[in-house]
Amino acid sequence: MPTPTGYLHGYSDEERERLHRQARFLESMVHDRLPFRRRKKLLEVGSGVGAQTEILLRHFPDLKITGVEINEAQIAEARRFLGTVPWAAGRYEVVHADGTRLPFGPESFDSAFLCWVLEHVGDPVRVLGEVRRVLSPGAPVVCSEVLNATFFLDPYSPDTLRYWTAFNEHQLSVGGDPFVGAKLGNLLQSVGFRDVSTEVKTFHLDNRAPGERAEFLEYWSELLLSGAPALLAADKVSQEIVDGMTRELERVARDPNAVFFYSFIQARARAW
Ligand SMILES: C[S@@+](CC[C@H](N)C(=O)[O-])C[C@H]1O[C@@H](n2cnc3c(N)ncnc32)[C@H](O)[C@@H]1O
């Protein structure tokens, strides 16, 4: 099965580690009040290294989860990781498949969860259409997706913004969508989901929470730099821009009045 065309972050061991850290770091925002309480069979598309699967299994002890993942190395890591998690035993499977062609029949699941995956697929309508096809009536779906136009840093960091523009344009040029969060309402509605709602989830970190700001800046620097090898190889950024961004991020991290701002979108809906 091919690697998804829009997968900017790559499939290195470091990237797999980053996904584990990222899921834990964002857990309180992504997993806040999810509607899976009386659900038994959840479909997770783009399950990656199993990091979100572990959190869902921990929060919802009655749930069994089927992860669908297109990349075999991610699947191997998910199986290794979930094999070490006591509360996951006997409650998950990870299937090697493409979210645009789910190998399940109608009404196979009573809930679905997608996180940071639609930004990497060329045809999000088809993935969501497939998710709806395999859900039972009334099943809730939750999608959390990026909206990269919302990023802001103070002190002003021009190389970082140039890099960010290149990062987003590269993702668009390889068939992904770094702004897909804003479109989730339309996408879900277009394939027949009902009761569609969206929530803007914002990190606005300043002097009110200096510890959290420092942690977040570290996480964000890692996320930005995870795209650097692909962007340098594709000639989308120069080494000077990457070096300039690295210096700017260090300066922001030292600045006692730094501001970090970013929003993502979490959409919820029901199958019908
Ligand atoms: C950024 S990772 C997020 C993983 C996980 N949802 C998380 O939050 O940790 C996106 C994952 O989606 C997978 N993916 C991309 N396109 C896919 C597709 N068409 N079908 C299934 N998985 C896909 C990638 O291989 C990658 O593991």
Side-chain angles (χ1 to χ4, degrees), residues 212-229:
E212 208 185 325
R213 175 181 59 197
E215 270 182 38
F216 211 91
L217 282 168
E218 202 176 312
Y219 154 70
W220 197 260
S221 304
E222 194 180 35
L223 172 78
L224 287 174
L225 287 165
S226 74

Side-chain angles (χ1 to χ4, degrees), residues 4 7 11 46 48 52 69-71 74 97-99 115-117 120-121:
Y7 203 61
Y11 288 108
Q52 308 289 356
E69 170 55 52
I70 203 168
N71 179 270
Q74 306 285 81
D98 184 338
C115 191
W116 321 135
V117 59
H120 299 296
V121 302

Side-chain angles (χ1 to χ4, degrees), residues 17-263:
E17 267 309 305
R18 192 189 70 76
L19 285 175
H20 282 299
R21 282 197 297 280
Q22 172 174 271
R24 281 193 297 273
F25 194 66
L26 301 179
E27 177 175 339
S28 60
M29 288 282 246
V30 171
H31 291 264
D32 182 29
R33 294 168 291 119
L34 294 183
F36 301 139
R37 192 95 4 233
R38 278 173 292 279
R39 303 289 146 179
K40 300 272 186 251
K41 288 175 76 182
L42 180 137
L43 168 68
E44 182 186 1
V45 178
S47 48
V49 298
Q52 308 289 356
T53 321
E54 178 275 313
I55 298 170
L56 289 165
L57 291 169
R58 174 156 41 88
H59 289 191
F60 299 101
D62 295 335
L63 212 53
K64 288 197 168 162
I65 299 184
T66 298
V68 168
E69 170 55 52
I70 203 168
N71 179 270
E72 292 191 78
Q74 306 285 81
I75 292 175
E77 169 56 17
R79 289 182 180 146
R80 183 208 63 77
F81 169 59
L82 292 170
T84 68
V85 174
W87 52 90
R91 296 177 55 208
Y92 68 89
E93 60 174 344
V94 189
V95 175
H96 185 210
D98 184 338
T100 62
R101 285 189 298 275
L102 292 174
F104 312 112
E107 304 195 16
S108 297
F109 301 95
D110 65 8
S111 45
F113 177 87
L114 289 79
C115 191
W116 321 135
V117 59
L118 294 176
E119 63 171 303
H120 299 296
V121 302
D123 195 348
V125 170
R126 199 155 149 202
V127 173
L128 290 175
E130 278 291 89
V131 171
R132 195 188 69 96
R133 180 181 65 77
V134 302
L135 287 179
S136 50
V141 58
V142 177
C143 305
S144 303
E145 286 298 337
V146 296
L147 180 47
N148 285 357
T150 61
F151 174 44
F152 172 78
L153 265 189
D154 194 72
Y156 183 64
S157 302
D159 278 338
T160 306
L161 293 179
R162 279 186 202 104
Y163 178 93
W164 191 232
T165 299
F167 183 102
N168 293 322
E169 286 182 354
H170 183 62
Q171 193 166 4
L172 285 167
S173 74
V174 294
D177 186 349
F179 313 112
V180 71
K183 306 170 194 176
L184 286 174
N186 284 352
L187 292 170
L188 285 160
Q189 213 175 11
S190 74
V191 298
F193 280 101
R194 298 218 188 147
D195 301 334
V196 179
S197 65
T198 55
E199 193 178 344
V200 180
K201 300 218 168 200
T202 297
F203 302 94
H204 184 185
L205 299 170
D206 57 17
N207 295 350
R208 290 169 291 177
E212 208 185 325
R213 175 181 59 197
E215 270 182 38
F216 211 91
L217 282 168
E218 202 176 312
Y219 154 70
W220 197 260
S221 304
E222 194 180 35
L223 172 78
L224 287 174
L225 287 165
S226 74
L231 292 175
L232 286 165
D235 232 1
K236 297 283 170 64
V237 290
S238 62
Q239 189 61 51
E240 287 69 42
I241 296 271
V242 176
D243 294 344
M245 173 176 79
T246 307
R247 280 193 298 277
E248 287 172 359
L249 291 169
E250 284 164 5
R251 188 185 51 155
V252 173
R254 282 194 309 271
D255 191 299
N257 292 311
V259 179
F260 175 93
F261 188 98
Y262 182 80
S263 297

